[in-house]
Structures are given as C-alpha cells and as structure tokens.
Amino acid sequence: MELFQIRYFLEVARRQHVRRSAEALHVSQPAVTSAIHRLETELGVPLFVPSGRSIRLSPYGKFLYEELLPLAGTLHSLPERIRNFQAQERTTIRLNVFAAWFIVMEAVVEFLRIDSDLSVQFIQQEHMELADITISTVHHYHARKKQGEGLYVCTEPIYLAVPDIPRFRTGTGISLCDVEGLGFVQLAESKYFRKICDGFCSQAGLYPHTILETDDPATVRKQICYNMGIGFWPAFTWGTHYTDRILLKRIEKPECTRDIVIERHDVSGDNVHVQVFYDFLTRYIEFYRRQTVGIA
C-alpha cells in the first residue's frame, strides 16, 4: 500500500466519482483508476461497487475509509514531516546514561556551547540499539571489543569521603576497617555503583550502617558534604564541588576502583554528530582522569 494510493483512495471515497477525483488531484483519470485497482488487488477485496453512473464504497471500502480518515488531514504533509524528522534525527544524540551523570552533564553543557544546533536526549534503556552512546560502569570491564573501535574504558579510583576532623587528618590513606560503626550515605541498592561499593565492604568484612539511601547521586554528595555521614566518592566523575568541607581519602584496604565504559553504537550511521560528541566526551573524561592526583 503506497502513499499515493491512499491519497487517491481517500479522494475517490469522498467524492464517489473517479473523474472528479482525478481533477481534484490534478492527475489523469486512468492514473486514479489504475491506483485503485492495484490497491484492491493488493488487499484482495473490492473497495468500490457500481452505483448507476457513479460508484459507492463497498463494505470493505467503507471500513478502510473509516480507518484512514484520521490521517486524511495530514496525509499531504506527511512526506515533508518525515523529511523534517530525518533532519532532526541527524542533529540529535541519544545518550544512555547509567553512570557518571555529573561529568557527562558537564561535557554536554560544554559541547552545546560549541554546537548549539545539537539536540541531546537522555535515556536509560537496557537495549543499546535505542541509544547512540552508552555510559555505564562495572567493577572490572571484560572486553567485548577493542578500545578505539567506538569503545573507551578508564579505571577510576573510589575514595572515601569523611569529615574534616583530627581523627582523619593524619596519614595518606584509609582502610574501610577504620570506619566501622560510622553512618554511611549511599545510593540505592538498585544502582550498580552501590553494588560495586557493597562488594568492597564485603571484602573488608565491613557491614556499613546506612543512614540515608537515595537514587540521586547529587543528594549523596550534598549530604556527605554537609557532614550528615560518610560515603564512597568516585575520584573524578563526581567532581570536587564542596569538597573543601570534607576529606577525600584514598582507600588502601581493599583497593577500590571501578571502570567507566563509554560505547558508541552504530544506530545513526548518517549522524556525524555522534562521532564528534563521542570523541569530545572521551577526551573530556580523559582530561579529568589525568588531573586526579594527590587527593589524600
């Protein structure tokens, strides 16, 4: 069923007359007749039946007309709308973000200053084919493909954020055993970062006393900075805002790191912005990764 066949059918169904319909469509009468016959052949049913010198809709034709009628008002503009949608798709990037929200948002803001015509959509879908770029985290990444082939993986230290008090001001690091009994502010158990950190606690034989649990990493950062509790703090993807109020201590036992994984998918082959932004994002994160030294 082709678009022009639908247009011809709707016009004939409205006028119940082939010649008048052809004149309204600015095409020849045989062209309209041929299109209707082809449509009937494709559907396997007659859409019109003779009625004196004119025609009328068959029961099948009436059913089809009623089904297509809601589209009638916009049918003529559909090709242009599709072209506009295609143009929009070529300037839209879909980011599938499961980790590093703070630094990803910073990168998006910076990039939009360079390319203000770009549109960014944030999604969280397990199916990667719905996204152009996926940002996720795992404890240790087991390579599915080589880095450089639309894949960037970097290892991020995870610090422990503690109050800036004499007890924690000495030494270059900290062991999880040293904070037994203190209250933790943490992400919800459904978050993968939380699962990674729970694994560290299990290794250390620590059963953290969680005093606040939330889905929002920003809330965790603020509560820790307001000395409402201690918590795990990714070295560079959470930034250092308000960290003058706390100490970020390198965890010595056990060693605490995670991998940030950024993967570009071949969803929009004609969207050059995807590759450009992917390159920008990976450079942006790599810059902050290299700057993360000497916090202890």
Side-chain angles (χ1 to χ4, degrees), residues 230-259:
I230 67 172
F232 293 99
W233 191 290
F236 57 87
T237 56
W238 273 21
T240 56
H241 297 280
Y242 307 113
T243 53
D244 56 326
R245 305 177 185 179
I246 60 174
L247 297 175
L248 295 180
K249 306 289 288 186
R250 188 179 299 275
I251 302 171
E252 296 176 339
K253 293 182 181 181
E255 181 182 9
C256 297
T257 63
R258 68 163 177 177
D259 285 346

Side-chain angles (χ1 to χ4, degrees), residues 60-242:
Y60 307 108
K62 184 178 180 181
F63 174 81
L64 181 61
Y65 179 69
E66 290 174 350
E67 290 294 308
L68 293 175
L69 194 57
L71 296 174
T74 59
L75 200 58
H76 68 284
S77 64
L78 194 55
E80 182 180 357
R81 290 166 61 198
I82 290 175
R83 287 191 293 270
N84 291 339
F85 177 73
Q86 183 185 39
Q88 181 181 357
E89 285 290 286
R90 288 174 177 168
T91 58
T92 299
I93 297 176
R94 292 180 179 83
L95 299 183
N96 206 11
V97 186
F98 293 98
W101 269 97
F102 183 81
I103 198 168
V104 170
M105 283 297 299
E106 277 195 344
V108 168
V109 170
E110 289 298 319
F111 190 81
L112 290 179
R113 291 175 181 171
I114 302 169
D115 186 355
S116 59
D117 293 330
L118 183 68
S119 175
V120 177
Q121 293 181 2
F122 292 95
I123 60 177
Q124 281 192 325
Q125 298 285 343
E126 293 293 338
H127 303 291
M128 292 184 179
E129 64 268 17
L130 300 177
D132 297 305
I133 298 172
T134 296
I135 301 96
S136 59
T137 184
V138 291
H139 187 193
H140 292 298
Y141 180 75
H142 299 288
R144 295 188 300 270
K145 60 182 181 180
K146 294 181 180 178
Q147 284 216 58
E149 299 176 354
L151 174 69
Y152 168 86
V153 181
C154 72
T155 299
E156 177 178 35
I158 297 175
Y159 298 126
L160 193 66
V162 296
D164 185 4
I165 58 177
R167 172 182 174 181
F168 296 115
R169 286 176 187 157
T170 59
T172 58
I174 196 169
S175 170
L176 288 183
C177 297
D178 297 336
V179 293
E180 182 77 45
L182 296 183
F184 273 75
V185 179
Q186 301 205 76
L187 285 174
E189 292 183 352
S190 60
K191 301 295 184 179
Y192 200 81
F193 179 70
R194 167 67 181 277
K195 295 175 182 177
I196 292 174
C197 295
D198 283 350
F200 300 147
C201 293
S202 179
Q203 281 183 262
L206 172 69
Y207 298 93
H209 170 52
T210 301
I211 57 176
L212 187 145
E213 188 177 77
T214 175
D215 286 330
D216 183 18
T219 300
V220 174
R221 289 198 302 271
K222 289 179 181 178
Q223 294 298 313
I224 292 174
C225 290
Y226 294 154
N227 284 326
M228 300 300 293
I230 67 172
F232 293 99
W233 191 290
F236 57 87
T237 56
W238 273 21
T240 56
H241 297 280
Y242 307 113

